[in-house]
Amino acid sequence: MRLETTVVVVIIVFSRLSAHVIAARSGYKQMLQCERETDDLKKVIEQIVVEIAARCNCMVFITDPAYRGLVEARTIEAMFLMPMYNIGVRENEDFSRPRKPIEKMLRHIKAAGCDAYVILIANGLLTSRFLQYAQEARLLDTRGYFLLLYDSRLFKPELHYIWNRIINVVFVRRYSTYKYRLGERILAERIDLTTVYYPSRERDVTEIKYIDTWYDGKLRYGNDHYLSKTTNLHGNGLRVAVFEHIPTVTETSREYYDQSSNGSSKALGIEFELLQIIAKAMNFKANYYMPLNIVNEKWGKAGDNDSYTGLIGEAIDGNADFFLGDLHYTVHHLNYFDLSTPYNTECLTFLTPEALTDNSWKLLILPLRLNVWLALFFVLLIAGGLFYLFALFYQKYIISYKYMISRTNEKLFEYDSAKDLYLFTNLPNSLLYTYSMQLQVSLPHLPDAWSMRILIGWWWIFCILVAMIYRASMTATLANPFVTVTIDTLAQLTAASLPIGGWNEESKDFFLASNDPYSQEIGSKFELTENEEEAINRVANGTFCYYENSYLLRHVRAKQIFEKGRKKNKSEETSGSIIKYNLHIMEECIVHMPIALGLEKNSPLKPHVDILVFRSTVGRMMEIGLVEKWLSDVMEWSKITESRQESDSEEGLVDLPKLHAAFVALAIGYFFSSVALLAEILYWKYVVLKDPTYDKYHLDTFYKNHKLKT
């Protein structure tokens, strides 16, 4: 009985020991398998990290406790002699309110120019939140190189915009699979490398592309895992938001892409032509569209509930890849767009009324400038006085001598001094006859003295020259179609006291931020106007000055000339449609603004677009003058219209306003004549008639006595 009990106990003990041995062996196998799997993951990541390190400037490791220390960053740093940064995140990290050390470190990393990120976080939801936070705060270089662990939660529709900007990315996807060998199913670990398609073939759907597999301790293909995805887009479509604005995009372009016509010979606009060449070079199809109400909203501004309108709203919502619409290269636009290298500059200035006052009444003085009039005035005064002094001197020293000779010589006739110099011996008469010669009125009698004749002859020559110059200048002034007063400088604009305005508030801030006092004064009275047509009508009525680029303003002026000519030909002038003022473009440029193509913020296309615009195919087209040619095509209609106006003005017909000066001169003559007549009447009534020696029956005696007294 004891023997049987002992055998049973031994069997039980042996069976338990066997069970423990088997369990230990299976746990050891699992531990080895886990270590092998971790070792494979480590080798894959290290190999990709080495591949990234050969391309980047510095590298950032962002890890959680599960993967911290998986890759030896110091080894990579020593191998490639580049700075490395490590950021440790918690498993329950809250990126809606990130910790200050993390935010401070990310800002320092961006300032250092790091362009490679290795993000090893086990929780895909935490990874997505980190990417959303860093992308919105613009703390990541989205055009850099990224290595992440694959998680299906990273590819939700609401995260599609991230993978439309971060495209140089490799996902390490580790999953279990089964191998069948000799009818036996064996569980095996597999590691694949995937990336995202760009551009995505479906909106809001992120497509994954397989690129490599870890097999038997190495990558199966071992190829370049960060091939450029923007060099060749393989004919995929990209959305292009269009705002028609001269000279970048014309209305003809709408007909072009709506009808898909390639045979149009009309000008399409600089940016439209430029984008066509970029699309051909990068092999993509441009899908053009005009955002709703873009004509009124233009580039856009802030609306209600932190919303934006126009092109800015399209960029914030991520609705397009390219934006055409004369975007200025400013800090304001850089907050919402990625702007390419500037391809052109535009002169921003004001559209002003061409004539603010009617100066045709000044036609008599317009032929000569102020300094010429002053010189002539002093010459007339001096000449009249010289004639008078010369006549007195001649009469005193020469005529008296001739008179003495005539008395001693009985054969000589008595010399009459009044016959020679009576025209100039009186100062008023001297001035009067001097001025009459200036107006080419002949003297009633030439003095017999040859010295006076020579002086008068040279004075006539001077008078003839001055009169010819005045008449020629007067003829040229009358031949001009309009007598205009224009605004061409900021000083003149501020002195004009006209309302000033433009479309966007950015322009107003630009003037207010200037150190120039004229600019600050313009900024203080700068009005915001949304209706461009209404603003131009106000300019035509002489009550406004509109701020825009000179090409658009020239096009607007040409339209006014065209409409004016059409109405004149068809006799459609009505009192309500009369244009009071012609449009004038101020000659002084406020600023020469660089213009660039717009792209989505953090767009991966920007580096390659910049190369195309500045260095490659498009850059060469800029060098050979294609941009100037496209600009000339856009402005051709405006030039033709303006040239027609100039040809019409060559007729130089004198109209009634041109004769204002003549009527003014006549009115001045009537006025002074009336004053002189009134003075003579008053003098006769209150001076002559009250003189005690006055006798109406012996007036000759009265005047003779008064003459002797004087």
Side-chain angles (χ1 to χ4, degrees):
M1 186 67 179
R2 290 181 180 177
L3 180 60
E4 292 177 357
T5 304
T6 303
V7 172
V8 172
V9 171
V10 170
I11 291 173
I12 292 173
V13 172
F14 181 76
S15 62
R16 289 183 178 178
L17 287 175
S18 300
H20 282 294
V21 170
I22 293 171
R25 287 180 178 178
S26 63
Y28 180 70
K29 287 182 180 180
Q30 291 178 359
M31 184 177 64
L32 288 178
Q33 183 178 359
C34 182
E35 289 180 357
R36 186 173 66 252
E37 293 172 359
T38 304
D39 188 58
D40 288 342
L41 178 63
K42 180 179 180 181
K43 289 180 180 179
V44 171
I45 292 176
E46 285 181 347
Q47 188 165 338
I48 302 300
V49 167
V50 169
E51 184 179 346
I52 295 175
R55 301 167 177 264
C56 65
N57 300 320
C58 70
M59 190 175 298
V60 183
F61 290 89
I62 304 169
T63 57
D64 64 356
Y67 291 100
R68 196 162 299 148
L70 181 65
V71 179
E72 294 293 335
R74 293 182 180 179
T75 305
I76 305 297
E77 184 176 4
M79 184 184 303
F80 290 93
L81 300 177
M82 67 169 59
M84 298 282 180
Y85 296 90
N86 286 284
I87 298 178
V89 298
R90 301 168 181 170
E91 294 179 348
N92 60 345
E93 195 77 55
D94 182 13
F95 286 108
S96 61
R97 291 182 296 175
R99 289 180 290 151
K100 290 185 178 180
I102 292 180
E103 183 178 0
K104 185 177 180 180
M105 177 63 73
L106 287 174
R107 294 189 183 279
H108 173 74
I109 289 169
K110 184 178 181 181
C114 283
D115 55 353
Y117 303 87
V118 179
I119 304 175
L120 303 177
I121 300 177
N123 186 351
L125 186 59
L126 185 62
T127 304
S128 65
R129 290 174 180 172
F130 168 75
L131 290 175
Q132 285 178 295
Y133 154 70
Q135 196 276 332
E136 291 175 2
R138 297 174 186 172
L139 299 177
L140 291 179
D141 181 4
T142 57
R143 302 185 189 100
Y145 302 95
F146 288 79
L147 176 62
L148 289 85
L149 297 177
Y150 179 90
D151 194 303
S152 59
R153 289 174 291 183
L154 294 174
F155 308 109
K156 294 180 179 179
E158 58 267 22
L159 298 176
H160 174 71
Y161 74 97
I162 291 180
W163 308 120
N164 204 37
R165 301 173 182 180
I166 300 176
I167 62 173
N168 295 320
V169 58
V170 171
F171 298 99
V172 179
R173 183 179 185 181
R174 186 176 62 170
Y175 59 95
S176 299
T177 185
Y178 290 100
K179 292 184 179 180
Y180 294 89
R181 184 179 301 169
L182 299 176
E184 182 181 2
R185 189 171 69 170
I186 302 174
L187 184 65
E189 180 74 14
R190 180 170 175 173
I191 300 177
D192 288 344
L193 302 182
T194 59
T195 187
V196 294
Y197 273 103
Y198 184 82
S200 179
R201 288 173 288 191
E202 294 185 20
R203 187 175 177 81
D204 296 336
V205 175
T206 304
E207 298 180 81
I208 305 301
K209 177 182 178 182
Y210 165 82
I211 53 177
D212 208 344
T213 296
W214 178 262
Y215 178 76
D216 197 15
K218 63 180 180 180
L219 291 172
R220 175 174 295 179
Y221 302 108
N223 52 6
D224 187 356
H225 301 103
Y226 289 94
L227 292 174
S228 175
K229 298 178 182 178
T230 59
T231 305
N232 187 352
L233 299 181
H234 305 287
N236 290 302
L238 295 181
R239 288 172 60 83
V240 182
V242 177
F243 166 44
E244 294 170 356
H245 196 265
I246 301 294
T248 55
V249 183
T250 65
E251 294 181 1
T252 309
S253 63
R254 192 190 319 171
E255 302 174 1
Y256 179 84
Y257 61 76
D258 283 347
Q259 299 175 2
S260 300
S261 172
N262 297 323
S264 177
S265 59
K266 298 181 180 179
L268 305 177
I270 301 176
E271 290 186 2
F272 199 88
E273 299 280 6
L274 206 59
L275 188 64
Q276 284 188 328
I277 296 176
I278 292 175
K280 186 175 182 181
M282 297 177 65
N283 191 18
F284 68 85
K285 179 183 178 183
N287 298 322
Y288 302 94
Y289 76 98
M290 290 182 63
L292 295 176
N293 203 24
I294 190 66
V295 176
N296 296 326
E297 295 172 353
K298 296 181 173 59
W299 296 282
K301 58 183 179 180
D304 299 332
N305 301 323
D306 295 331
S307 62
Y308 283 82
T309 60
L311 287 184
I312 292 179
E314 293 293 303
I316 293 177
D317 295 338
N319 293 334
D321 300 285
F322 283 92
F323 301 88
L324 307 184
D326 203 14
L327 291 173
H328 299 170
Y329 204 99
T330 61
V331 176
H332 175 73
H333 283 158
L334 286 172
N335 292 328
Y336 308 105
F337 303 94
D338 270 353
L339 299 177
S340 69
T341 301
Y343 64 85
N344 192 22
T345 57
E346 292 179 354
C347 168
L348 299 183
T349 186
F350 283 93
L351 184 70
T352 63
E354 190 175 53
L356 298 180
T357 56
D358 183 11
N359 63 347
S360 58
W361 61 272
K362 297 189 296 183
L363 190 61
L364 287 175
I365 63 175
L366 286 178
L368 301 179
R369 295 187 180 275
L370 178 62
N371 55 353
V372 180
W373 280 116
L374 292 176
L376 288 176
F377 178 74
F378 285 111
V379 168
L380 287 174
L381 289 179
I382 294 172
L386 285 177
F387 274 103
Y388 174 68
L389 294 176
F390 194 87
L392 292 179
F393 182 84
Y394 194 88
Q395 186 179 28
K396 182 176 181 181
Y397 293 100
I398 297 178
I399 295 179
S400 60
Y401 176 73
K402 288 184 177 182
Y403 181 74
M404 292 174 59
I405 294 176
S406 65
R407 292 292 298 269
T408 56
N409 191 353
E410 296 179 355
K411 295 182 179 180
L412 293 176
F413 58 89
E414 186 176 355
Y415 191 79
D416 187 3
S417 62
K419 182 180 179 182
D420 279 337
L421 300 173
Y422 78 94
L423 298 176
F424 301 101
T425 52
N426 191 322
L427 182 58
N429 287 341
S430 177
L431 294 175
L432 183 62
Y433 286 120
T434 303
Y435 298 163
S436 68
M437 285 188 286
Q438 177 76 56
L439 299 175
Q440 295 185 352
V441 178
S442 62
L443 295 173
H445 175 72
L446 274 177
D448 291 337
W450 278 102
S451 56
M452 288 293 294
R453 289 188 176 191
I454 293 174
L455 181 60
I456 292 172
W458 283 105
W459 176 250
W460 275 351
I461 293 176
F462 170 77
C463 292
I464 291 171
L465 292 175
V466 172
M468 289 178 61
I469 293 171
Y470 181 81
R471 288 179 179 180
S473 183
M474 174 70 78
T475 303
T477 305
L478 287 172
N480 291 330
F482 299 101
V483 179
T484 60
V485 174
T486 58
I487 299 174
D488 290 313
T489 63
L490 279 178
Q492 295 174 355
L493 185 63
T494 54
S497 300
L498 286 174
I500 298 168
W503 188 86
N504 56 353
E505 194 170 355
E506 181 188 359
S507 301
K508 180 176 182 178
D509 296 337
F510 168 78
F511 285 108
L512 291 175
S514 175
N515 295 326
D516 179 42
Y518 294 126
S519 298
Q520 291 179 356
E521 184 176 350
I522 289 174
S524 63
K525 59 180 182 180
F526 196 93
E527 300 179 7
L528 297 179
T529 174
E530 296 183 0
N531 193 327
E532 183 177 281
E533 185 177 354
E534 180 183 350
I536 293 170
N537 290 335
R538 290 177 63 189
V539 177
N541 290 327
T543 60
F544 196 65
C545 296
Y546 186 60
Y547 184 67
E548 251 293 355
N549 76 72
S550 59
Y551 301 114
L552 176 64
L553 298 182
R554 190 173 181 182
H555 182 74
V556 168
R557 184 174 64 181
K559 286 177 65 176
Q560 187 211 45
I561 295 172
F562 177 78
E563 290 294 327
K564 191 175 181 180
R566 185 179 63 84
K567 291 180 179 180
K568 183 177 180 181
N569 293 335
K570 294 185 177 180
S571 300
E572 293 178 356
E573 293 284 355
T574 60
S575 58
S577 61
I578 293 178
I579 300 175
K580 296 181 179 179
Y581 296 90
N582 288 336
L583 303 180
H584 174 73
I585 301 173
M586 196 170 78
E587 292 183 359
E588 182 180 358
C589 284
I590 308 301
V591 62
H592 291 276
M593 180 63 67
I595 308 300
L597 292 173
L599 297 95
E600 185 184 12
K601 192 64 183 176
N602 296 326
S603 172
L605 300 172
K606 179 177 169 18
H608 196 62
V609 170
D610 285 343
I611 292 174
L612 287 174
V613 171
F614 186 67
R615 299 176 185 173
S616 188
T617 307
V618 180
R620 289 195 294 270
M621 291 186 178
M622 293 173 63
E623 292 175 1
I624 64 177
L626 268 182
V627 172
E628 293 296 328
K629 190 264 181 187
W630 295 329
L631 179 60
S632 177
D633 291 343
V634 173
M635 303 307 298
E636 181 180 7
W637 180 80
S638 302
K639 293 178 182 178
I640 293 173
T641 306
E642 291 175 349
S643 64
R644 288 177 180 173
Q645 184 194 36
E646 292 175 0
S647 63
D648 293 340
S649 65
E650 290 177 357
E651 298 176 0
L653 298 177
V654 178
D655 51 6
L656 186 59
K658 290 289 187 180
L659 295 177
H660 282 175
F663 292 113
V664 169
L666 186 61
I668 293 174
Y670 285 160
F671 173 76
F672 283 109
S673 299
S674 302
V675 171
L677 178 61
L678 180 62
E680 289 183 356
I681 293 173
L682 294 175
Y683 182 81
W684 173 264
K685 184 175 181 180
Y686 293 102
V687 177
V688 175
L689 294 180
K690 292 184 178 182
D691 194 316
T693 61
Y694 173 76
D695 187 357
K696 67 178 181 179
Y697 299 106
H698 299 88
L699 291 177
D700 54 341
T701 305
F702 173 78
Y703 285 115
K704 184 177 181 180
N705 294 333
H706 274 270
K707 184 176 182 182
L708 291 174
K709 290 180 181 180
T710 57

